């Protein structure tokens, strides 16, 4: 097993441990920290093992951080959605 996959597994373990600890801000601070560390790890995995393994790791990360993705999707839909015509 290579270093990048070990780091990805450790990231997943840290994400699950962080989710088990109670939080006052609904885990948003921990989600931001996981994103900051997860993006370079995802790039490292993709660089070492190719796009297919990178997509699998991305899918695993998206399943862990699904609420930030849902909120980003809603925000983008509001920003790019149809505009109401001025009367």
């Amino acid at each position: 097993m290579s270093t990048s996959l070990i780091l990805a597994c450790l990231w997943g373990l840290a994400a699950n441990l962080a989710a088990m600890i109670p939080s006052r801000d609904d885990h948003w601070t921990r989600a931001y920290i996981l994103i900051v560390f997860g993006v370079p790890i995802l790039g490292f995995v993709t660089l070492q093992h190719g796009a297919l393994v990178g997509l699998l790791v991305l899918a695993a990360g998206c399943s862990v951080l699904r609420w930030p993705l849902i909120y980003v999707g809603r925000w983008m839909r509001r920003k790019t959605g149809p505009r109401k015509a001025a009367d």
Side-chain angles (χ1 to χ4, degrees), residues 7-76:
L7 287 173
C9 289
L10 289 175
W11 182 91
L13 180 66
N16 283 299
L17 290 174
M20 287 186 226
I21 300 170
S23 173
R24 292 178 191 254
D25 66 348
D26 293 328
H27 302 287
W28 282 102
T29 304
R30 294 176 192 149
Y32 296 140
I33 293 169
L34 287 169
I35 291 168
V36 165
F37 284 104
V39 170
I41 291 172
L42 176 63
F44 190 33
V45 168
T46 305
L47 181 69
Q48 280 195 338
H49 298 284
L52 182 61
V53 176
L55 285 172
L56 291 173
V57 172
L58 176 65
C62 288
S63 72
V64 171
L65 296 172
R66 63 188 165 273
W67 281 108
L69 288 173
I70 290 169
Y71 282 113
V72 166
R74 289 177 184 168
W75 177 79
M76 288 176 64

